Amino acid sequence: GDSSKEAISQRLVDAGARLVAEPQPTTLYVIAPRRTVRVSNLEKDGRWPVLLPSAIPRLLATNVPLATDVLVWTDDLRKSVGKEIDAYGDSYTRDTSVATLSALFVSPFPSLALSYRDIGVLENYLFPQGSWHSMLRGKWIFFDQNENYDVDVRLARVYGARVVGVDEDSEDEEEDDDEEEEEVQIDDDDDDDDDDDKKATNKTRRKKRSLARGADRSPHLRRATHVVTSATSSLLPQLRISIRRELTRRRADEALRRHANGAKICIVTRDWLRECVRQHADLDESDFVVSVEQDSPQL
């Protein structure tokens, strides 16, 4: 309802209260919208409790205000309200239950499944000047599978990076499958075999490709902008093969190069990631490079 002084005064008068301009010995409560110098003086006096206007509805209904609506306490008010206040100063209002508490924490808004790109667009809208909270967004990081980088994987994701081999979009994987199917169909367009023969041929070719991928033990670095490893990792020989293969693919395909944010792959220690987090900045990788070639520190 109306929270103006006139409306509050009229409500109290309608309930049978008598209003005065200055506190009298018979005054029960003083109403004040906030703590002021006058309220502080009343507190020093100690004879009258001072309440916020929000206390009036409960006061009229029960004659006892909520503790959260009290600006100045008196001994008498503490005694009357004390039985409804626990040792932590919280006032009792009503019994509750696990179901009631659970309902309080249920969001009234429907959950939204935002894609990685959607989140990037939202961040650019909220933080047009950029935010260190997403300082690694746009980076794809491959973590050496022969070492324990669980903490580093979590840090990378928190600050916007994606993890190669784990976070690939399902839509992109479907595009890959479509491309493979298309290649098979093109090869078979000139054949006169019936549909069953075509399906059998396609299945055989997919199986051969799958076996070939299984036999290739080198890591899959598609999209990778960074490789996190160490100079003593046993995976370095396989990484050398994978990096050269991936760079060759990017140099031959401009669209793929753009999609992978350039042709370079930075090979760094975990210290690069942790220093980025510590300094809240996307640091230059040159101080954290791991060499995978005898003649070159960086591919």
Side-chain angles (χ1 to χ4, degrees):
D2 192 348
S3 59
S4 65
K5 182 177 180 179
E6 292 75 13
I8 293 173
S9 300
Q10 186 60 50
R11 186 172 184 181
L12 289 170
V13 170
D14 292 342
R18 185 170 68 90
L19 306 183
V20 294
E22 295 292 333
Q24 306 294 324
T26 56
T27 298
L28 294 178
Y29 299 103
V30 175
I31 305 298
R34 61 188 176 279
R35 179 172 287 276
T36 61
V37 173
R38 188 178 184 188
V39 170
S40 297
N41 291 333
L42 289 171
E43 186 173 23
K44 293 176 182 178
D45 186 287
R47 287 183 291 172
W48 299 283
V50 181
L51 309 179
L52 292 168
S54 56
I56 292 175
R58 181 178 173 87
L59 190 63
L60 294 178
T62 65
N63 290 326
V64 180
L66 289 175
T68 52
D69 291 327
V70 179
L71 286 176
V72 174
W73 292 88
T74 62
D75 292 340
D76 290 340
L77 182 61
R78 288 187 185 280
K79 290 178 182 179
S80 61
V81 180
K83 59 184 179 181
E84 298 186 357
I85 299 178
D86 62 18
Y88 302 98
D90 297 320
S91 60
Y92 167 84
T93 55
R94 64 180 184 275
D95 291 332
T96 188
S97 64
V98 173
T100 301
L101 290 175
S102 299
L104 291 175
F105 292 98
V106 174
S107 173
F109 305 103
S111 59
L112 298 177
L114 296 178
S115 69
Y116 185 78
R117 296 181 183 87
D118 291 337
I119 294 174
V121 171
L122 181 59
E123 284 181 343
N124 290 334
Y125 176 78
L126 295 175
F127 309 103
Q129 304 302 320
S131 169
W132 61 264
H133 291 285
S134 57
M135 60 188 176
L136 300 180
R137 187 163 299 284
K139 291 177 170 49
W140 282 83
I141 304 177
F142 173 86
F143 289 91
D144 190 331
Q145 297 150 337
N146 288 6
E147 301 191 11
N148 185 357
Y149 288 108
D150 291 346
V151 173
D152 304 275
V153 168
R154 289 195 291 270
L155 283 175
R157 284 181 169 148
V158 165
Y159 290 96
R162 308 199 76 183
V163 179
V164 174
V166 178
D167 293 331
E168 275 87 353
D169 293 336
S170 59
E171 60 190 52
D172 294 327
E173 293 174 355
E174 290 173 1
E175 288 177 4
D176 293 342
D177 293 339
D178 293 340
E179 290 174 359
E180 290 182 354
E181 289 290 339
E182 184 178 354
E183 290 177 2
V184 171
Q185 292 297 337
I186 291 174
D187 291 340
D188 291 338
D189 276 346
D190 296 333
D191 295 340
D192 295 328
D193 299 331
D194 56 25
D195 291 340
D196 291 338
D197 291 338
K198 287 183 178 181
K199 291 179 181 178
T201 302
N202 292 345
K203 183 176 181 180
T204 301
R205 292 182 179 180
R206 283 196 298 270
K207 185 175 181 181
K208 287 181 179 179
R209 280 196 297 270
S210 177
L211 291 173
R213 284 194 293 265
D216 182 6
R217 303 180 64 84
S218 56
H220 174 62
L221 298 182
R222 182 184 178 212
R223 293 191 185 86
T225 59
H226 293 74
V227 171
V228 174
T229 184
S230 69
T232 59
S233 171
S234 60
L235 193 65
L236 287 181
Q238 287 81 19
L239 281 173
R240 183 184 302 117
I241 296 172
S242 295
I243 292 171
R244 289 197 174 281
R245 177 184 301 160
E246 179 62 21
L247 292 180
T248 299
R249 290 179 66 238
R250 296 182 189 180
R251 288 165 184 152
D253 189 330
E254 182 179 353
L256 180 62
R257 187 163 58 251
R258 288 198 306 269
H259 187 68
N261 298 321
K264 187 173 74 169
I265 298 177
C266 297
I267 305 97
V268 295
T269 65
R270 72 174 71 194
D271 294 336
W272 168 75
L273 176 61
R274 297 195 175 188
E275 277 300 302
C276 286
V277 173
R278 190 179 70 83
Q279 298 186 35
H280 294 166
D282 180 9
L283 299 178
D284 183 79
E285 298 88 354
S286 58
D287 293 332
F288 308 94
V289 167
V290 174
S291 176
V292 296
E293 295 285 354
Q294 295 292 334
D295 57 348
S296 173
Q298 185 71 52
L299 291 177

